[in-house]
Amino acid sequence: MYFDHSATTPVHPDVQNLINSINHEIYGNPSSIYHLGQKARSIIENARNQIAKSINTTSKKIIFTSGGTEANNHVLWSMLKRKKNHVISNVIEHPAIIKVLQFLTDLNVNHSLIQVNNQGIIDIDDLINKINNNTGLISIMMANNEIGTIQPLDNVIKLAHDKGILVHTDAVQCLGKIDIDVEKLGVDFLSLSAHKFYGPKGVGILYVKNPEKMHPLIIGGNQENSLRGGTENVASIAGMGLAAEIAINCIENTIKHLKTLEKQFKDALNNNFKNIMYNGNQIKKIPGLVSASFPNNDSKIMLIRLDREKIYVSNGSACGAGDVKPSPVLSAIGLDDASNLSTLRFSFGRTNNVEEIKFLIDRLNKIVSY
Ligand code: PLP
């Protein structure tokens, strides 16, 4: 039973079929001018339209990448070419932001990280204080991958644009769970990753409001309007396009379903485990993501015991790859190490159902000591 959809999602069967058939039949290079190449090209452009539509923009503003990590890197590395290159981000961003910023310090791209409150919401006053004359970019995630907290991006964008500062958001956790309308939001850059919305791994996008002012990160051929060299991953791009279309077509049902499962799960947790603690803002959050601390229990041991029952959940973020150190995100919102290391993240998906939640609770009852 899979309850780790924030780590990755199973590929939708229609998406898998599409990927297989493209790999099999339309193997031409999209840059080739003969028919088979042009078929591949039109598949890419169709997927670009699907992705653009899913975030309410036009296709020329979409750059295909190898995933969320590359999309984030693309924006941050592009600061090397800008006059105002001080970046502001926050302490609970994904390592694909924080570590890149640390690396870029050696190349004279400086940054400041703003604090969050005990629910993981950014401190706007801290943001205002950290803006200086050289600030060129603010990068704040739309929602956090470990606790699900949604950030007040509208406020950030208004504040930033009043001062002529660009804004990037890592929205990797959000497509299909939160309405994303880049035109309405006014954001300058936005990252997405297909494997978080039932698409394939290793493919994503960067939305760029003004692509004519952007520089490439991966330099080579003229693909992606010279903004991302390299022969395109045609089948995965097509799979991502279809996955985005499906995600948007069923977004209302998905949100409703995830909220139902979340409520059922939390009600049962509250009945069974007296001292359970939930992390992050419980209202402004991604539906279906529950970060819960089970005092006096070790998350790694709980995880292994659940694994024996073929129940898959995570402690900390999956991207930490097997790390058992306290999660920096949970520390940043004020958890002490003991609570931090007693935390599990459950993230439900479209194919989970009420019976599975009952089974999960039943097994947790056997595994958790309280
Ligand atoms: N940003 C966030 C918020 C994520 O949750 C992840 C992956 O877990 C990434 C970026 C990295 O995305 P990808 O795995 O596509 O490189």
Side-chain angles (χ1 to χ4, degrees):
M1 288 187 188
Y2 188 74
F3 303 116
D4 202 13
H5 293 78
S6 293
T8 195
T9 52
V11 177
H12 189 288
D14 293 351
V15 170
Q16 192 57 56
N17 288 338
L18 179 68
I19 292 173
N20 292 346
S21 75
I22 291 174
N23 273 331
H24 190 59
E25 289 157 26
I26 307 174
Y27 47 82
N29 187 319
S31 298
S32 300
I33 53 173
Y34 45 75
H35 198 67
L36 192 61
Q38 287 317 295
K39 259 185 156 172
R41 165 68 41 218
S42 77
I43 285 171
I44 290 179
E45 295 318 316
N46 180 50
R48 203 186 304 278
N49 281 327
Q50 288 170 308
I51 282 279
K53 220 170 140 195
S54 75
I55 55 171
N56 191 31
T57 186
T58 50
S59 57
K60 59 179 188 304
K61 300 183 178 186
I62 304 292
I63 303 172
F64 291 122
T65 68
S66 65
T69 301
E70 183 188 319
N72 289 352
N73 267 266
H74 196 161
V75 178
L76 298 181
W77 281 86
S78 74
M79 296 311 288
L80 277 173
K81 286 275 196 179
R82 294 189 193 266
K83 280 202 191 88
K84 295 197 326 180
N85 68 358
H86 170 248
V87 182
I88 300 179
S89 191
N90 81 97
V91 288
I92 64 165
E93 290 287 322
H94 190 273
I97 294 287
I98 305 247
K99 285 193 186 169
V100 185
L101 288 173
Q102 286 162 352
F103 190 91
L104 287 172
T105 307
D106 288 348
L107 301 172
N108 287 330
V109 175
N110 292 314
H111 68 273
S112 311
L113 298 181
I114 59 172
Q115 294 302 320
V116 293
N117 68 13
N118 62 2
Q119 299 181 341
I121 296 180
I122 54 162
D123 180 340
I124 294 280
D125 290 334
D126 196 18
L127 174 64
I128 294 168
N129 286 338
K130 291 212 159 84
I131 293 176
N132 66 38
N133 290 338
N134 196 32
T135 304
L137 179 76
I138 298 176
S139 179
I140 302 289
M141 68 203 323
M142 188 172 277
N144 182 267
N145 46 306
E146 287 187 50
I147 51 176
T149 300
I150 297 172
Q151 299 294 357
L153 259 187
D154 282 337
N155 295 354
V156 173
I157 292 167
K158 180 155 189 341
L159 211 146
H161 285 180
D162 281 351
K163 297 181 187 302
I165 301 168
L166 299 170
V167 178
H168 166 247
T169 189
D170 174 343
V172 163
Q173 289 291 335
C174 304
L175 195 83
K177 294 183 207 144
I178 299 174
D179 257 325
I180 305 180
D181 182 334
V182 285
E183 299 290 337
K184 204 161 121 199
L185 198 59
V187 73
D188 301 281
F189 308 100
L190 178 140
S191 307
L192 290 178
S193 175
H195 74 99
K196 307 288 187 182
F197 52 91
Y198 305 85
K201 293 168 183 58
V203 63
I205 64 120
L206 177 65
Y207 159 81
V208 183
K209 194 202 265 177
N210 292 307
E212 61 288 351
K213 294 189 184 152
M214 192 60 169
H215 298 279
L217 170 70
I218 309 288
I219 301 167
N222 292 333
Q223 291 91 350
E224 298 299 288
N225 241 340
S226 296
L227 289 177
R228 206 271 185 181
T231 303
E232 300 89 337
N233 185 347
V234 183
S236 292
I237 287 172
M240 173 167 61
L242 178 59
E245 192 172 278
I246 296 170
I248 294 311
N249 285 345
C250 62
I251 187 166
E252 276 170 29
N253 285 341
T254 303
I255 293 174
K256 208 169 137 213
H257 180 61
L258 294 178
K259 283 189 171 166
T260 306
L261 296 182
E262 180 179 328
K263 182 170 181 325
Q264 181 200 352
F265 181 55
K266 279 166 126 183
D267 285 350
L269 283 181
N270 294 339
N271 285 337
N272 287 281
F273 308 103
K274 299 266 164 318
N275 47 7
I276 191 155
M277 290 178 336
Y278 299 104
N279 304 308
N281 188 298
Q282 294 306 295
I283 295 159
K284 289 184 186 140
K285 67 183 276 294
I286 296 179
L289 189 159
V290 178
S291 169
S293 304
F294 298 83
N296 306 322
N297 287 271
D298 179 328
S299 61
K300 195 170 171 221
I301 292 173
M302 288 191 284
L303 204 130
I304 291 168
R305 289 188 179 150
L306 287 170
D307 184 28
R308 279 195 206 126
E309 305 278 347
K310 295 201 166 45
I311 293 176
Y312 305 125
V313 304
S314 87
N315 60 344
S317 132
C319 299
D323 257 355
V324 283
K325 287 191 226 110
S327 144
V329 172
L330 298 178
S331 299
I333 61 169
L335 267 70
D336 57 32
D337 283 0
S339 307
N340 197 320
L341 293 169
S342 72
T343 302
L344 293 178
R345 179 188 68 181
F346 306 85
S347 45
F348 305 127
R350 290 205 294 252
T351 54
N352 290 138
N353 58 46
V354 291
E355 291 310 316
E356 289 181 331
I357 305 292
K358 279 188 197 151
F359 184 80
L360 171 62
I361 289 288
D362 178 69
R363 289 306 185 270
L364 280 172
N365 258 318
K366 298 198 166 94
I367 283 162
V368 176
S369 37
Y370 52 96

